[in-house]
Amino acid sequence: MKSVYCLAVVLALVLGTAPACAMQDSDQEGDTAMAKDGAQDTADTMYAVGLAMAQGLAQFHLTEEELQSVKEGLTDGVLGNEPRVSLQEYMPQIQQLAQERAQAAAAKEHEAGAAYLEQAAAEDGAVKTDSGMVYQVLEEGTGASPKESDQVKVNYKGTLTDGTVFDSSYDRGQPATFALNQVIPCWTEGVQHMKVGGKAKLVCPPDLAYGDRPAGSIPPGSTLTFEVELLDVTPQPAADTAGQGMDQGTENGTAQEPPPSGAGN
């Protein structure tokens, strides 16, 4: 009976099915469920490893055929098979391809972003500033307006031109606090137009955001839209905020999607 039970467990793990086994008692059923749960957890973890690798490969914009070649290289590397090319020899080609693909993606984003920016500027109440950003009041505030050296507390949501949300303090359930002179230029300019209690939309061209380099899940050359709610302003001398900002491309020091709380200038 034990061998039949073990075979059932193995089949469940390998085939992803649960063969019928009328000879199991309640303890065996519990053990089977635990084994399946553990296997599923491991499978989900390894699936997440794949997702993490996919983020690293996003800059290459792989076709299905190219992805197949990547899978072959991954298989040989993991299993210790004899590689068909030298990784050291091909490192320059990898870097060149990454750069070429990033430039092509940035050019495409620039074109789409320019049209999006003009559309945003045409909306009621929207203002296109001399810098090129678009500012639109969604809800007028009644409190103080921040200066560039002040610290601000905000809730916000950031989206790409296709509507994809790449960052949101609302989703994290916690407002962001940062020095206004330590974020992307679009934020430094736009939030100074706001008053505490107000909400606004900032549409940021790439030269006022992250330029032509990828930043987390943000493609290179992206025009970004932020809906911002200004919750509080804390005046600070400029010397107090010097050196406290984080490098552009990290969020709250965790190297996640960047804007705006950890976006350096």
Side-chain angles (χ1 to χ4, degrees), residues 1 15 59 71 79 81 83 102 155 162 186 192 222 226 236 262:
M1 183 188 305
L15 301 179
Q59 61 182 315
K71 290 178 180 179
L79 299 182
N81 299 333
N155 267 320
D162 64 0
C186 185
Q192 289 186 76
S222 291
F226 295 95
Q236 287 190 345

Side-chain angles (χ1 to χ4, degrees), residues 9-96:
V9 172
V10 170
L11 288 173
L13 298 182
V14 175
L15 301 179
T17 59
C21 185
M23 303 286 293
Q24 296 174 350
D25 58 25
S26 58
D27 290 339
Q28 290 174 335
E29 290 176 355
D31 291 342
T32 302
M34 291 178 61
K36 289 173 63 179
D37 288 345
Q40 184 61 51
D41 182 64
T42 300
D44 288 345
T45 300
M46 300 312 298
Y47 178 79
V49 170
L51 292 179
M53 295 175 65
Q55 289 186 350
L57 292 170
Q59 61 182 315
F60 292 99
H61 302 277
L62 299 173
T63 64
E64 289 190 19
E65 183 178 357
E66 291 169 339
L67 178 58
Q68 184 58 41
S69 296
V70 170
K71 290 178 180 179
E72 293 172 4
L74 179 62
T75 298
D76 287 343
V78 170
L79 299 182
N81 299 333
E82 183 69 25
R84 71 169 187 248
V85 299
S86 166
L87 177 58
Q88 184 175 2
E89 178 184 346
Y90 270 82
M91 281 304 298
Q93 285 92 323
I94 293 174
Q95 295 170 353
Q96 180 180 352

Side-chain angles (χ1 to χ4, degrees), residues 84-120:
R84 71 169 187 248
V85 299
S86 166
L87 177 58
Q88 184 175 2
E89 178 184 346
Y90 270 82
M91 281 304 298
Q93 285 92 323
I94 293 174
Q95 295 170 353
Q96 180 180 352
L97 181 61
Q99 184 177 12
E100 291 174 353
R101 294 287 172 92
Q103 290 173 345
K108 184 177 180 181
E109 288 292 336
H110 273 284
E111 183 177 354
Y116 183 87
L117 199 69
E118 291 305 313
Q119 182 179 0

